[in-house]
Amino acid sequence: MELTKEEQKMFDGEYGEGTQISMEILVALGKIYNAENMIPVTSVQVAGVSYKTIGDAGLEYIQEMKSKGARTRVPTFLNPAGMDREQWKEMGVPEHFAKKQIEIFEAYEGMGISPTYTCTPYLIGIRPKLGEHIAWSESSAIAFANSVLGARTNREGGPSALAAGICGVTPNYGLHLDSERKAKYEFEIAEDIKFEDRSDFGLFGLKAGVLVKNNYPAFKNMKKSGSQINEDDLKYLGAAMAAAGSVPLFFAKDVTPEYNLSDDVEKITITKKDLDEVREQIGPDKVAELIATGCPHASLKEIEEIVNLLKEGKKLKSKLWIYCARPIRKQAEEKGYLKIIEDAGGRIVADTCMVVSPIEESIKGTISVNSGKAAKYVPTMCKRDVCFGRLADLIKKSKEGEQ
Ligand code: F3S
């Protein structure tokens, strides 16, 4: 690989051991993928923040990087952690878990990383532009950044993203190259499929992700009934495809900023019958002990919709936890939404999510979700069965005490 003078200095250890290890990681990756050079990145998002997912080995690694003097040199942000920094006790997070999680906070923040703790940095002002090179590592954020914003990122792992934040560059291969950003599959969506709610996009994403695996799909005729497809819809779609098949980039005609097909593109048709099969496999459309929403983290608009559903009438019969970035929670509080949600028996949770927190410590029953990604991961990561439905229906049923 050809390194600039500055990159070579990092590689040779002139900026300390932490930076040297980071550049070694990036060079090794670049060699594996035949990158010719490094490319500067404007932002980095580091996943692997929850003690539940990285454990002691991960904690030791980041503490070691910090002790070796590693410091970020470009804006670097963190993915959700294992607990809400303010509400963890009330939410039943065990003390020993919290202690380890706080050590992770300290190690990352000690390297200069911003404590955003969200998988939707693009909802709190971190919105790379079309063509901008970044190194993000949470799968739904990668899909959103590449597809909806048109930024360029590979699927970074936690350590390679951290290395990119420390060195300010990433190997120039894969989705950083325009020539690679072409769909291998073009989908024709059958007329009988209706997209009405964001959970419909999540359900569709589960099927599409399984079909294309880690390739890039293009949707020729994706339409929403009665309104335009919005960013929350695309967020749910991308998250589900990333979870079901590791999809880092998708195109939707007249919706996403890019729509490129490879020369040997294959055509696929998805029908309602395909989606009904997926729907049946996930779990029933029922209200369980907890309704958990905000996977990926909720926007203020989603919270506003929930508030409208809660304003009138009875209290919820189930728990309702809405996960979002802390600045979104703050905005919800300023608008009076937090009070309405809490008065109805719900909770807005920041810094974490239903998958990477030890939710199984406090929720012993089934969890109702409206996200394809959550439906995929809650059973394996939290050992809880899921029910799946549209959020408006789940909330209505919870208010009526229906199961
Ligand atoms: Fe985000 Fe957690 Fe879902 S990281 S995409 S809310 S699993």
Side-chain angles (χ1 to χ4, degrees):
M1 274 186 87
E2 201 173 307
L3 298 182
T4 63
K5 276 191 187 145
E6 188 69 0
E7 290 158 4
Q8 190 64 49
K9 279 186 191 173
M10 293 183 205
F11 190 78
D12 293 339
E14 287 191 32
Y15 294 102
E17 207 182 342
T19 307
Q20 184 177 29
I21 293 169
S22 301
M23 187 50 90
E24 283 170 359
I25 291 172
L26 298 175
V27 168
L29 251 183
K31 283 186 178 162
I32 291 169
Y33 291 102
N34 294 321
E36 288 177 6
N37 58 333
M38 297 287 173
I39 191 158
V41 290
T42 53
S43 73
V44 171
Q45 189 233 10
V46 177
V49 185
S50 167
Y51 180 62
K52 178 173 171 177
T53 56
I54 66 170
D56 288 320
L59 170 59
E60 277 162 30
Y61 177 75
I62 51 177
Q63 283 176 330
E64 199 185 326
M65 289 299 281
K66 183 183 160 234
S67 71
K68 289 185 187 309
R71 298 291 178 274
T72 54
R73 62 180 69 208
V74 290
T76 303
F77 310 96
L78 289 168
N79 203 44
M83 64 187 196
D84 184 307
R85 284 170 290 171
E86 292 172 7
Q87 305 182 83
W88 63 268
K89 277 191 186 149
E90 301 149 62
M91 297 191 67
V93 174
E95 290 273 348
H96 71 88
F97 184 99
K99 191 175 159 289
K100 294 284 190 179
Q101 187 61 65
I102 290 166
E103 287 180 43
I104 295 173
F105 291 153
E106 288 168 354
Y108 274 132
E109 291 177 32
M111 287 189 273
I113 311 184
S114 301
T116 47
Y117 302 116
T118 184
C119 52
T120 57
Y122 47 87
L123 293 178
I124 56 167
I126 304 156
R127 289 179 72 90
K129 295 193 176 56
L130 180 68
E132 205 168 308
H133 294 275
I134 58 175
W136 286 15
S137 60
E138 193 282 319
S139 66
S140 78
I142 292 165
F144 192 94
N146 269 322
S147 317
V148 183
L149 303 178
R152 272 98 173 100
T153 179
N154 284 317
R155 293 177 63 235
E156 301 295 342
S160 68
L162 179 62
I166 290 163
C167 299
V169 294
T170 193
N172 191 14
Y173 71 94
L175 289 172
H176 291 285
L177 307 172
D178 285 352
S179 56
E180 297 282 322
R181 298 173 65 90
K182 291 184 177 164
K184 188 167 182 323
Y185 298 100
E186 189 179 46
F187 283 70
E188 181 86 44
I189 301 169
E191 289 289 318
D192 58 357
I193 293 181
K194 299 275 177 260
F195 293 98
E196 291 170 356
D197 178 83
R198 65 185 71 92
S199 63
D200 301 335
F201 287 86
L203 188 70
F204 181 89
L206 288 179
K207 180 68 191 177
V210 167
L211 290 173
V212 306
K213 301 186 178 69
N214 58 356
N215 284 293
Y216 321 140
F219 306 112
K220 202 171 143 188
N221 59 335
M222 185 170 261
K223 302 246 165 13
K224 190 173 177 185
S225 314
S227 62
Q228 298 284 323
I229 294 174
N230 61 42
E231 286 198 354
D232 288 324
D233 299 327
L234 297 171
K235 182 177 80 174
Y236 272 65
L237 172 68
M241 288 196 292
S246 311
V247 174
L249 166 69
F250 64 90
F251 304 116
K253 201 159 216 164
D254 303 325
V255 178
T256 56
E258 296 168 283
Y259 193 89
N260 307 314
L261 305 178
S262 64
D263 294 339
D264 58 349
V265 68
E266 286 178 37
K267 307 279 179 183
I268 299 187
T269 302
I270 288 196
T271 64
K272 184 166 178 299
K273 188 168 162 284
D274 295 321
L275 297 192
D276 289 345
E277 281 167 15
V278 181
R279 183 73 198 68
E280 259 181 39
Q281 284 161 13
I282 303 178
D285 180 1
K286 280 181 23 180
V287 177
E289 179 180 341
L290 166 73
I291 301 172
T293 188
C295 173
H297 273 175
S299 64
L300 191 64
K301 187 170 157 283
E302 286 175 83
I303 297 176
E304 214 163 62
E305 285 173 22
I306 295 169
V307 164
N308 288 333
L309 294 165
L310 293 176
K311 259 183 189 161
E312 287 151 23
K314 308 161 194 158
K315 277 191 141 194
L316 295 160
K317 303 281 189 303
S318 63
K319 294 188 176 95
L320 167 67
W321 292 354
I322 306 157
Y323 294 89
C324 65
R326 190 158 289 281
I328 300 288
R329 187 180 192 276
K330 190 158 186 295
Q331 288 170 33
E333 187 174 7
E334 285 163 2
K335 285 186 167 281
Y337 299 161
L338 179 64
K339 184 169 183 333
I340 296 169
I341 288 165
E342 288 183 343
D343 286 351
R347 189 186 277 282
I348 303 185
V349 186
D351 310 323
T352 186
C353 78
M354 68 286 269
V355 171
V356 299
S357 62
I359 201 171
E360 58 280 8
E361 296 283 347
S362 52
I363 302 297
K364 300 299 173 194
T366 303
I367 300 177
S368 295
V369 299
N370 68 328
S371 148
K373 177 168 178 178
K376 168 96 183 151
Y377 283 132
V378 166
T380 51
M381 293 282 293
C382 311
K383 307 282 179 283
R384 293 290 171 268
D385 290 336
V386 291
C387 295
F388 180 86
R390 294 178 176 181
L391 191 57
D393 294 341
L394 294 172
I395 289 178
K396 189 167 163 283
K397 284 182 186 170
S398 175
K399 281 167 70 176
E400 300 303 326
E402 272 179 47
Q403 290 297 302

